[in-house]
Amino acid sequence: MRIDAVRSLLGIIILTIPLNPQAIDVYKRPVQVERSRDFDFIHYLIRLDIDIAGKSFNGRMTATLRPLRDGLEKVILDAEEFTVREVRDESGEALAFEQAPGRLTVKLPRAFRHDEKFSVTVGYDGRDPKKGLRFYEASAERPAMAASDSWPYGVRHWFPGYDYPNDKATSEIIATVAAGNKVVANGRLISVKENEDAATVTFHWLQDKPHSTYLIFLAAAPYEVVEDRFGAVPVNYWVYARHAADARRTYGKTPEMMAYFGALFGYDYPWDKYDQVEVPFGGGAESTSATAMGERVIVDERAEIDFPSLGIVSHELAHQWWGDLVTLRTWSEAWINESFATYSDYLYFEHALGPDEGAVNLLNKKTAYLREARERYIRPIVFDRYEGPSDLFDSHSYPKGALVLHMLRFILGDDAFFRTLSAFLHDYDFDVADTHDFKRTVKTVTGQNLDWFFDQWLYKPGHPVFDASSEWDQTAGLLRLRVRQVQDRSRGIPVYRTPARISVTDESGKRIHEVWIEDEDEAFEFPASGRPLLVRFDDGHILLKELTFPKSASELLFQLQKDDVIGRMEAASSLAGLAKVSGVEEALMKAAERDPFWAVREAALQALGQAKEKSLIPFLKKRCADPHSRPRAAALSALGELREPGIAAFLIERFRKEPGYLAQAEALKALGKTGSRAAKSFLKEAEGMPSFRNIIRDAARQALKDLSSE
Ligand SMILES: [Zn+2]
């Protein structure tokens, strides 16, 4: 991924872009078009001498090119920051060149025809570039090192080239660094040579399968390499020495994921090896056969409880197919990379942890998109208005697109859906693709014209907002369901057409009816001789939607006990406002204590917490011993909201016993709300404790602030 996403336990993407409460008018952004070119890059041979301590490099890049038209007399390459010394042709003749901001123009010795191939070699010097190749000094966190950050237009800061994704070429990196360092790059390792000066070592890497420039990667550091394998494919984890013991915990599932994705996509892992490489910045950034993983991804034993690396590791691995093998033709097609990778991480989650965890993963994706839609903007997923590519790497390209793929799977069925994915990979492997290509593959494989589906979900903004109501007609033995689409259509949001599953549960069991929603206002009738205990619109939670569907307290109480995980969570939330109704508090307490799935226990505790009843203190204290950390955190948070000085000692004790950082942080935040003077010295102490991503320090600071404002 690109916006340096790190996944929390929930799988919610934490963006480095701050949320803007003001709605953003994305239509004011400039229209961007795919770049034209008049030559085809065939191969990059990049020789680099990297002085990590001096933060500088000198390079010699040999470009092999083929004109795409006759009469090519000059080539214009993207080049930023470094200084070009010389340009030579194949025979070593110096060529005239001109370096201007952002580009290098090379005058060719003669005009070349479209069927000719030629090469030019550019010699250049760079020093601590602002982008592209980042240098780091040694610190307590990391050794002195250099690592590329090529996305989206980074390579032009460390070698000249055609730096736009719509052209693919093979690449070769021959990098010399001070002895003691290791260099990792794309493709396979050809050689490692200790040089005669004994002070330097040269690594030669070759990626002989074509890829786009933003996927060209290099990192140099005194890495520890923890070796793993997937069949004949080397799978290595490149980490700082201090993280050697954490590498397998963080990445150890990778070979199993490679087997799963290869079989699921009907396309074996496409590259010579797979490396995951620790770098100082970001979350994960994929490149062919190598993924840069930020320091924040590495989990220690305690962080694994709440922040397992499963989501980001599977997401980045999925990019080896979605993004690296088949690559977006232009940035407006970002979903070709990100939606497919995001849907893949859900698929692995469900496969590895089961359908309930899968359902919660999908719910969190939905929540992330709806938050962006409400707080920031809506836009079509395929969208050509942006200042820079990062504008498009948002919750539309990631979770919304993943949910669109989930709906496509529902419409096509599993067999046709996965055959389509496989065909798309085989049709466009080592090439670029866009939405039209995908639509064509869907038609070829399934025979179905789903233009209407792509039109409403990819080319138009927004999502349906359903208002549903039902009525049981005892005399007629019918259940009448009315479904209206009430979304504000002023911004180009359509009336949606979609299949939907309606379930009706009565004493005799549950029946599912499949219907098509076509119009703004739809009415359906289903046979129902007995009084329905629960009616569900969109059973299975397939649709990306908002829904209001009023339910009686008795229906919600039934749902809290009997529905699937998402339904039970929804029932718990809906019951939060009904705590005074007879039986509701008892039912929520029972769910908080006994529901087999942690997310329902958490939702029930959150609902109970809203009542802010001091009589719940003994119950909430007990729930702080839940086997799962999330309900424990919810119980601690609910206790905090009671603002009761008398529980400060209990919260401190919970902090000391708690194995996970997340619930520990909740204990501290709750402590800040107690107003207890005694809490202050403890919070001061906690502020100095080391923790994963400084969770404990940040929670202690917030608590101290709360305490002083009491
Ligand atoms: Zn991604």
Side-chain angles (χ1 to χ4, degrees):
M1 94 110 316
R2 329 297 354 183
I3 312 173
D4 302 334
V6 171
R7 270 139 205 289
S8 72
L9 175 72
L10 291 174
I12 288 175
I13 292 166
I14 300 162
L15 301 174
T16 53
I17 298 169
L19 281 182
N20 185 345
Q22 303 296 316
I24 298 162
D25 186 354
V26 292
Y27 290 89
K28 282 196 178 137
R29 291 172 178 167
V31 171
Q32 308 277 358
V33 297
E34 184 184 344
R35 194 184 200 185
S36 292
R37 60 201 166 102
D38 48 16
F39 52 83
D40 179 20
F41 238 103
I42 294 167
H43 187 67
Y44 290 90
L45 169 58
I46 305 146
R47 290 188 181 82
L48 282 176
D49 282 335
I50 304 173
D51 177 359
I52 296 173
K55 298 186 178 183
S56 65
F57 56 93
N58 62 69
R60 214 146 44 85
M61 192 283 300
T62 301
T64 307
L65 306 159
R66 193 174 59 82
L68 290 170
R69 62 172 171 82
D70 290 338
L72 190 74
E73 287 178 318
K74 62 178 181 185
V75 292
I76 299 172
L77 301 177
D78 298 306
E80 299 248 15
E81 295 197 76
F82 51 76
T83 306
V84 176
R85 278 192 313 270
E86 56 170 17
V87 182
R88 294 186 183 274
D89 71 5
E90 279 152 78
S91 61
E93 282 297 309
L95 299 178
F97 68 91
E98 194 183 291
Q99 196 176 6
R103 62 186 206 168
L104 169 69
T105 306
V106 176
K107 193 166 175 349
L108 300 175
R110 61 175 176 82
F112 284 84
R113 286 192 322 271
H114 76 274
D115 54 353
E116 291 183 287
K117 208 156 90 172
F118 64 90
S119 62
V120 295
T121 297
V122 181
Y124 57 100
D125 299 297
R127 175 168 293 277
D128 200 12
K130 286 194 276 296
K131 290 180 183 170
L133 187 63
R134 301 211 217 174
F135 287 89
Y136 295 87
E137 285 162 24
S139 69
E141 300 292 308
R142 65 187 74 92
M145 61 183 294
S148 73
D149 186 11
S150 297
W151 184 90
Y153 301 131
V155 299
R156 64 186 67 175
H157 295 260
W158 56 290
F159 63 87
Y162 177 82
D163 197 13
Y164 195 85
N166 65 354
D167 184 23
K168 289 195 175 187
T170 53
S171 69
E172 193 169 359
I173 291 178
I174 302 175
T176 301
V177 291
N181 289 289
K182 296 188 178 97
V183 176
V184 54
N186 316 85
R188 59 177 200 272
L189 186 61
I190 301 293
S191 65
V192 183
K193 205 175 89 213
E194 285 179 26
N195 298 313
E196 279 164 21
D197 57 13
T200 60
V201 56
T202 300
F203 286 76
H204 182 176
W205 288 92
L206 171 67
Q207 175 56 283
D208 59 6
K209 295 165 179 166
H211 57 163
S212 300
T213 47
Y214 79 91
L215 297 168
I216 298 181
F217 174 74
L218 171 147
Y223 283 116
E224 291 276 332
V225 182
V226 176
E227 296 187 355
D228 212 337
R229 282 197 98 66
F230 166 58
V233 182
V235 175
N236 295 332
Y237 315 133
W238 301 61
V239 293
Y240 310 155
R242 73 183 177 95
H243 284 147
D246 297 322
R248 226 170 264 283
R249 178 183 309 108
T250 305
Y251 301 121
K253 293 267 194 290
T254 307
E256 183 201 310
M257 293 176 186
M258 293 165 85
Y260 173 69
F261 284 148
L264 188 70
F265 303 152
Y267 198 114
D268 286 344
Y269 178 76
W271 312 99
D272 291 310
K273 51 89 174 165
Y274 187 53
D275 290 320
Q276 287 165 96
V277 184
E278 186 168 13
V279 297
F281 49 85
E286 76 281 5
S287 53
T288 60
S289 79
T291 289
M293 289 287 199
E295 292 161 359
R296 295 160 56 90
V297 175
I298 304 273
V299 285
D300 62 34
E301 216 168 302
R302 297 183 57 208
E304 200 190 17
I305 297 171
D306 298 304
F307 307 95
S309 53
L310 208 72
I312 191 161
V313 170
S314 58
H315 178 99
E316 300 304 332
L317 174 64
H319 274 310
Q320 297 300 316
W321 288 263
W322 309 110
D324 294 5
L325 179 63
V326 175
T327 305
L328 46 74
R329 175 174 279 283
T330 180
W331 301 114
S332 55
E333 303 282 340
W335 86 289
I336 295 282
N337 289 19
E338 295 305 343
S339 302
F340 285 75
T342 304
Y343 192 56
S344 301
D345 75 54
Y346 153 73
L347 290 168
Y348 180 74
F349 222 81
E350 188 193 38
H351 162 78
L353 302 177
D356 288 349
E357 290 282 357
V360 172
N361 179 292
L362 216 52
L363 175 70
N364 291 325
K365 288 179 172 35
K366 182 176 146 187
T367 307
Y369 158 70
L370 288 175
R371 189 173 54 227
E372 181 165 279
R374 286 192 198 112
E375 296 176 6
R376 303 188 80 218
Y377 55 78
I378 53 168
R379 66 170 179 86
I381 287 179
V382 180
F383 193 53
D384 60 2
R385 288 178 178 270
Y386 53 94
E387 301 283 351
S390 62
D391 284 344
L392 300 175
F393 286 69
D394 58 4
S395 290
H396 283 71
S397 288
Y398 288 72
K400 186 181 182 188
L403 292 153
V404 170
L405 287 171
H406 193 61
M407 291 186 283
L408 179 65
R409 179 181 167 191
F410 175 58
I411 288 172
L412 291 177
D414 279 10
D415 175 60
F417 175 76
F418 287 107
R419 276 193 292 116
T420 300
L421 293 195
S422 179
F424 189 52
L425 289 170
H426 286 278
D427 287 351
Y428 298 96
D429 53 352
F430 306 107
D431 203 348
V432 295
D434 60 24
T435 307
H436 297 288
D437 300 323
F438 184 65
K439 284 166 67 176
R440 190 164 44 207
T441 301
V442 170
K443 281 180 187 165
T444 307
V445 173
T446 71
Q448 299 300 307
N449 179 348
L450 296 183
D451 290 353
W452 58 271
F453 175 88
F454 296 112
D455 189 54
Q456 68 186 14
W457 287 113
L458 296 178
Y459 294 108
K460 292 195 167 124
H463 54 271
V465 179
F466 293 110
D467 192 344
S469 57
S470 67
E471 193 184 40
W472 180 50
D473 182 339
Q474 187 172 8
T475 323
L478 287 174
L479 179 87
R480 296 200 172 89
L481 176 75
R482 187 172 173 203
V483 181
R484 291 186 305 133
Q485 295 191 42
V486 297
Q487 58 270 22
D488 169 10
R489 285 169 47 215
S490 62
R491 288 175 293 171
I493 306 174
V495 171
Y496 286 82
R497 175 181 171 194
T498 184
R501 279 188 188 146
I502 316 296
S503 71
V504 182
T505 306
D506 62 17
E507 295 291 353
S508 65
K510 173 169 156 178
R511 268 176 300 276
I512 293 179
H513 309 274
E514 291 219 355
V515 299
W516 273 88
I517 310 270
E518 311 254 358
D519 294 327
E520 221 174 327
D521 195 345
E522 297 265 17
F524 304 99
E525 288 182 349
F526 309 107
S529 50
R531 174 181 291 280
L533 297 166
L534 178 64
V535 180
R536 293 228 50 169
F537 172 72
D538 187 27
D539 192 278
H541 319 279
I542 308 290
L543 306 179
L544 174 54
K545 65 181 188 305
E546 290 181 82
L547 170 68
T548 38
F549 191 178
K551 287 183 166 56
S552 66
S554 64
E555 202 176 359
L556 290 170
L557 287 170
F558 178 83
Q559 187 178 21
L560 180 64
Q561 280 190 43
K562 303 283 185 189
D563 206 356
D564 59 24
V565 159
I566 305 300
R568 301 204 301 277
M569 290 167 71
E570 284 175 2
S573 306
S574 302
L575 286 166
L578 303 171
K580 296 282 173 275
V581 174
S582 150
V584 167
E585 192 170 276
E586 292 74 9
L588 285 170
M589 286 168 79
K590 196 175 149 195
E593 201 174 346
R594 295 191 210 154
D595 193 282
F597 196 68
W598 64 267
V600 182
R601 300 198 299 277
E602 180 190 41
L605 284 162
Q606 286 164 344
L608 284 167
Q610 286 185 34
K612 297 192 185 178
E613 278 180 40
K614 296 212 172 174
S615 62
L616 285 172
I617 289 177
F619 176 79
L620 291 172
K621 279 182 170 177
K622 263 196 215 156
R623 298 323 315 144
C624 292
D626 192 283
H628 196 285
S629 71
R630 298 289 300 249
R632 294 201 297 275
L636 287 161
S637 170
L639 280 169
E641 291 307 320
L642 297 172
R643 300 183 181 270
E644 171 59 55
I647 60 167
F650 171 81
L651 293 171
I652 291 172
E653 185 203 322
R654 278 314 312 169
F655 179 90
R656 292 210 166 105
K657 283 187 181 161
E658 179 54 51
Y661 293 118
L662 192 80
Q664 271 196 322
E666 278 314 321
L668 294 180
K669 288 184 209 162
L671 201 51
K673 290 173 183 163
T674 59
S676 159
R677 293 287 131 203
K680 194 168 178 178
S681 63
F682 183 76
L683 288 171
K684 282 272 179 209
E685 192 189 317
E687 197 185 356
M689 292 179 188
S691 63
F692 181 73
R693 298 182 198 163
N694 292 317
I695 292 164
I696 299 302
R697 183 200 68 190
D698 294 348
R701 285 184 183 167
Q702 192 191 317
L704 283 163
K705 223 163 106 189
D706 283 352
L707 206 58
S708 58
S709 67
E710 281 291 315

